[in-house]
Amino acid sequence: MKELMTAVSEWLNQGENVVLATIIASTGSTPRGTGARMAMISDGSFVGTIGGGAVEYKVQEMAAEAFKDKISQIKSFNLSNGEKEDLGMVCGGSVTVYLQYIQANEGNARDLFSFGSGLFSQNVDSWLVTDITDETDCHMYIHVLGSNNVDLPDYSQELFANRAAQVEISGKTYYSEPLTRAGRVYVFGGGHVSRELIPLLSHLGFSCFVFDCLPEFADKKLFPAADGVILGGFNNISAYVDITEKDYVVIMTRGHSSDYTVQAQALRLKPYYIGVIGSRAKIDAVSKKLREQGFSREEIDSVHTPIGIDIKADTPAEVAVSIAAELIMARAEAVNLILKKVDNKLKNSTISIEEAVGLPLSHDLTIIDPERNYKGAKYKRGYILHKDDLPVLRRMGRLHLSVLELEPEEIHEDFAAMRLAKRFKSSSFLITLPSEGRCNLKAEKDGLFILDEHMVNRINSDNDWVLSTIANYSTVKKGETVAAWRIGPLAMNESRVAMAEKAIEESMVKFKIAEFKPLKTAHITIGSEILSGEIRDAFHSKLLHKLEKYGAPIIFRTTVTDDKNDIIEAIKKGCERGAEAIFCTGGMSIDADDMTPGAIYEVSDEVLFRGVPVLPGSNLMLGRKKWSANSGEVYIFGVPACAVHSDTTSLDTVMSRVYAGVPPTEKDTRTWGVGGLCRMCEKCAFPICSYGSR
């Protein structure tokens, strides 16, 4: 499902329309059952499968028609052999397939698949729900367990089961299937069974992490399907991993001692599942030691040992199958338990903390610790309270917990935050799940972060919400948080949220990440003393280092005298070779012998600026010339001498703008004085400083 969601999200963002085929019902013997999916685009590319054979071939034919007609439809197939309308298969069953046409220009669909693909990195339970009442007008929703999903018109616990199913609610037909499952699997020990187990669990939708104390076993190459491989000491696992009450711990280290060490720590952390591999003698020895350390029989008996369902497994691969089967069963029981508690008990507006034991929280509980200078969510929304949490809650001053009962027109802070954050969604940003009314926007790619500062200021004129960003025109890396959206009140009125959505949408033109372009680059070194070999060119190596982050190649390099005509000819030669950016170093001062500025003026169609109110680097110059050899524009830099001896100058700021395709104008540069003075820090943090954004 992860591969399919990600592929559909990427296709939609690339402007490709998609047909999503889903088996929404099946009876008898069929190649694939309810929930199987396949997504296709118009060129025939596809991901996923609904079983292959005649059904899949027929569905692909129908998908081609769907692209032409731009409609969705539901179609049933008889797989028996002998019926007049069958497909000539001998399976003996039947399947109903929903072919859903999704347009790339439909913003809600792009948001949904982007949000859905992002959930696979989150530790949550979620479902994909499709309204199939009218097969020509489909609507899809994603529900995250513990949320009041305001987008879902008919909220019912019937929709959220352990397997895909059709559900009738209020005269409508929904098709619901699990999308993601909470709970990471931490496998302690990177031996033979682990190597068989990890790819199997990954294929089953578990998020897996391998932990070992030896580098030859904690090797990512051995576990390509794992989400993480951790090298650390078994005696302090919490220093490396954060195990929660939703997680699964599988212990199969290479000895009794380390098994005991990990098991004792795991019991204190109270994950949902603990399983230990080993013989009966080993299990008895470890259990005896645990009792001596004060663990109760109930705690020790809660451990699944020997791990796995008894299928008479012998080989590592067979043992892995038995463990995977037990984890599948445990996962199903976990979701059923939580759903039952949500359905039966979370109906009171306020309950005591004692009554809340075993229930998931409806919102985050914040703790402030002045001694550690820390403020954050001690318990996250959806966290299931344990008895051990009660003393902590009392110290936090919590004797009762509120279960928020929203009015019909009100929206919980987390879902208001998500709705508004979605309006910033584009191919530039990934939105994190809400926490304490806050969503982060993360860069989807390397590039230059660009925003409309007036838009941000206008949005922040309202006290009910906050939009906070990094500085405009900052260089960012993929995965870096560039902005955060925070809702103030615990609940907001629908009309207020809609008003904010409109304000954001109207100002989204200049809120993006401009990808860096690998412009073909030329370097012209100017100076008779360098040409003669009396002085070494000290800038070229610096330039190569600066170009690395843009992936830009040097295609032409030369050294010329201080003669203006020589400089002009060298610039023209760089243009002829296909250069899109040319750096001229040397001869940029006001001395009588310095001819570089005059040469750039003469060869350029336009000089964007000469000189900037930035130190170091005030003599920087930038010209622009159209040249047919590269079918575009050539940017000509006049590089000041300070760039030779200073690692960071105005050149770095202007390069990021040019290589991102948004070169500054003279008017732009006149505003750079405030923040344009480098502090000459002992350890340079550029570009994460005021000097680095323009």
Side-chain angles (χ1 to χ4, degrees):
M1 194 63 166
K2 179 180 180 180
E3 179 187 10
L4 186 140
M5 291 292 292
T6 302
V8 172
S9 177
E10 291 175 353
W11 281 335
L12 293 176
N13 283 322
Q14 292 166 6
E16 294 278 2
N17 299 329
V18 176
V19 170
L20 182 62
T22 307
I23 296 180
I24 58 174
S26 64
T27 60
S29 177
T30 61
R32 292 293 302 275
T34 302
R37 284 187 183 269
M38 179 173 67
M40 297 154 281
I41 55 177
S42 58
D43 69 359
S45 300
F46 67 92
V47 294
T49 179
I50 54 172
V55 173
E56 191 161 297
Y57 177 75
K58 186 65 177 177
V59 166
Q60 287 174 326
E61 285 186 334
M62 295 174 64
E65 295 300 317
F67 283 115
K68 294 178 184 177
D69 300 336
K70 300 181 179 181
I71 60 170
S72 302
Q73 63 173 309
I74 295 175
K75 175 71 174 177
S76 294
F77 298 94
N78 189 348
L79 307 185
S80 62
N81 196 359
E83 297 289 338
K84 185 177 180 180
E85 299 297 328
D86 68 14
L87 293 177
M89 298 178 69
V90 295
C91 298
S94 64
V95 296
T96 301
V97 181
Y98 183 34
L99 285 90
Q100 183 177 353
Y101 176 73
I102 305 170
Q103 295 192 81
N105 61 5
E106 209 285 289
N108 289 335
R110 290 198 308 271
D111 289 347
L112 181 135
F113 280 93
S114 177
F115 176 55
S117 61
L119 286 175
F120 288 92
S121 61
Q122 309 289 334
N123 199 14
V124 296
D125 290 296
S126 65
W127 286 260
L128 181 62
V129 181
T130 308
D131 182 349
I132 58 174
T133 307
D134 180 354
E135 63 188 66
T136 63
D137 185 23
C138 55
H139 299 280
M140 300 180 76
Y141 311 91
I142 290 177
H143 175 74
V144 179
L145 183 64
S147 68
N148 294 332
N149 193 334
V150 295
D151 291 331
L152 196 59
D154 296 296
Y155 183 93
S156 171
Q157 293 296 338
E158 295 177 66
L159 290 170
F160 313 124
N162 281 309
R163 61 187 71 245
Q166 283 193 37
V167 180
E168 300 285 340
I169 302 175
S170 304
K172 291 188 175 183
T173 304
Y174 294 95
Y175 175 75
S176 176
E177 64 177 309
L179 181 61
T180 62
R181 284 286 177 257
R184 298 183 171 98
V185 180
Y186 292 96
V187 178
F188 290 89
H192 295 297
V193 176
S194 297
R195 294 175 204 177
E196 298 286 351
L197 178 63
I198 296 302
L200 181 56
L201 290 179
S202 178
H203 185 68
L204 293 167
F206 287 93
S207 176
C208 302
F209 295 80
V210 180
F211 190 117
D212 206 294
C213 62
L214 296 177
E216 58 265 36
F217 292 97
D219 186 346
K220 180 63 176 175
K221 294 178 183 177
L222 298 175
F223 302 99
D227 290 303
V229 178
I230 302 135
L231 175 63
F234 285 138
N235 60 344
N236 187 16
I237 61 177
S238 292
Y240 305 92
V241 294
D242 181 20
I243 295 175
T244 73
E245 82 288 344
K246 297 178 181 179
D247 296 328
Y248 304 75
V249 171
V250 175
I251 304 171
M252 37 193 181
T253 71
R254 287 170 296 282
H256 292 34
S257 177
S258 50
D259 273 3
Y260 161 75
T261 300
V262 175
Q263 187 174 339
Q265 294 173 81
L267 283 168
R268 295 188 183 97
L269 293 170
K270 295 180 170 57
Y272 171 69
Y273 171 98
I274 302 174
V276 183
I277 200 169
S279 65
R280 177 56 58 188
K282 172 186 171 182
I283 293 164
D284 291 343
V286 171
S287 297
K288 181 175 182 295
K289 196 171 181 180
L290 289 169
R291 286 195 298 272
E292 291 171 352
Q293 294 298 316
F295 287 98
S296 68
R297 178 167 293 279
E298 181 182 8
E299 289 174 310
I300 297 171
D301 289 346
S302 70
V303 177
H304 296 256
T305 183
I307 194 171
I309 292 175
D310 186 5
I311 58 172
K312 310 303 180 186
D314 184 26
T315 66
E318 291 171 346
V319 173
V321 170
S322 74
I323 296 172
E326 187 165 83
L327 290 180
I328 291 171
M329 186 167 61
R331 179 170 63 181
E333 291 171 349
V335 177
N336 281 339
L337 179 64
I338 294 172
L339 288 173
K340 183 177 179 180
K341 290 180 176 179
V342 171
D343 198 31
N344 292 342
K345 295 188 178 180
L346 283 182
K347 296 179 180 178
N348 299 318
S349 59
T350 303
I351 57 177
S352 69
I353 58 176
E354 289 79 13
E355 291 178 296
V357 170
L359 297 179
L361 295 175
S362 62
H363 59 84
D364 296 350
L365 298 182
T366 302
I367 189 171
I368 300 175
D369 187 343
E371 293 183 3
R372 293 193 298 140
N373 194 29
Y374 172 80
K375 175 184 179 291
K378 174 64 176 176
Y379 300 110
K380 303 287 290 182
R381 177 173 54 85
Y383 174 81
I384 300 175
L385 287 176
H386 297 282
K387 289 182 180 179
D388 294 349
D389 297 319
L390 299 183
V392 180
L393 290 170
R394 293 187 185 102
R395 288 196 296 271
M396 293 170 61
R398 302 273 188 172
L399 299 180
H400 295 83
L401 295 176
S402 298
V403 179
L404 186 63
E405 294 184 350
L406 297 173
E407 296 296 326
E409 70 278 3
E410 288 183 324
I411 300 173
H412 187 278
E413 59 171 348
D414 280 354
F415 300 99
M418 177 56 75
R419 273 184 55 177
L420 297 179
K422 280 182 179 180
R423 295 302 175 266
F424 292 97
K425 184 69 185 77
S426 68
S427 59
S428 293
F429 306 109
L430 171 70
I431 302 170
T432 64
L433 287 177
S435 174
E436 297 181 285
R438 167 176 168 166
C439 290
N440 292 336
L441 274 66
K442 293 181 178 289
E444 280 271 55
K445 52 194 173 185
D446 295 351
L448 200 67
F449 176 62
I450 302 174
L451 57 85
D452 182 342
E453 295 182 18
H454 297 293
M455 176 270 286
V456 175
N457 294 337
R458 185 165 62 251
I459 287 175
N460 285 328
S461 64
D462 195 304
N463 291 331
D464 275 352
W465 48 69
V466 169
L467 174 60
S468 183
T469 76
I470 62 174
N472 205 2
Y473 293 107
S474 291
T475 300
V476 297
K477 291 283 189 183
K478 182 178 179 179
E480 182 179 347
T481 297
V482 297
W485 180 270
R486 175 71 186 269
I487 298 296
L490 191 60
M492 285 188 66
N493 190 279
E494 161 66 30
S495 61
R496 299 275 294 140
V497 177
M499 182 180 71
E501 285 178 315
K502 183 178 180 181
I504 295 169
E505 288 172 350
E506 290 174 351
S507 305
M508 274 302 295
V509 177
K510 283 187 64 178
F511 198 89
K512 62 183 180 180
I513 294 174
E515 282 189 275
F516 293 128
K517 303 174 182 178
L519 303 181
K520 298 173 184 176
T521 303
H523 180 205
I524 301 171
T525 304
I526 299 156
S528 300
E529 70 281 7
I530 298 176
L531 184 63
S532 65
E534 295 178 43
I535 298 178
R536 182 179 62 86
D537 177 11
F539 179 70
H540 189 70
S541 61
K542 288 181 177 289
L543 177 60
L544 289 174
H545 179 69
K546 294 177 188 296
L547 292 173
E548 285 178 358
K549 69 178 176 182
Y550 309 119
I554 292 280
I555 64 165
F556 175 68
R557 181 188 180 190
T558 189
T559 303
V560 299
T561 69
D562 295 289
D563 184 84
K564 185 168 77 170
N565 290 328
D566 287 348
I567 300 170
I568 291 172
E569 287 304 312
I571 294 173
K572 289 181 178 179
K573 187 174 290 186
C575 293
E576 290 170 354
R577 296 287 182 88
E580 299 164 287
I582 298 175
F583 292 80
C584 300
T585 57
M588 280 298 298
S589 72
I590 59 174
D591 292 344
D593 293 331
D594 289 341
M595 299 296 173
T596 304
I600 294 175
Y601 268 113
E602 189 165 326
V603 79
S604 297
D605 295 327
E606 176 189 12
V607 171
L608 297 177
F609 60 83
R610 181 184 178 185
V612 291
V614 176
L615 293 171
S618 61
N619 279 339
L620 183 67
M621 183 177 185
L622 184 64
R624 178 163 53 191
K625 182 174 182 61
K626 289 191 177 293
W627 195 270
S628 58
N630 48 37
S631 303
E633 296 177 324
V634 183
Y635 291 93
I636 306 167
F637 292 80
V639 182
C642 62
V644 175
H645 56 76
S646 296
D647 289 334
T648 303
T649 68
S650 61
L651 175 64
D652 296 278
T653 292
V654 175
M655 282 182 70
S656 67
R657 295 280 298 263
V658 170
Y659 282 79
V662 285
T665 64
E666 174 79 20
K667 183 178 179 181
D668 291 333
T669 64
R670 292 304 95 195
T671 66
W672 290 1
V674 177
L677 179 63
C678 180
R679 289 174 147 182
M680 301 295 179
C681 304
E682 185 175 340
K683 185 176 181 181
C684 181
F686 179 85
I688 309 174
C689 62
S690 61
Y691 186 83
S693 58
R694 298 287 177 267

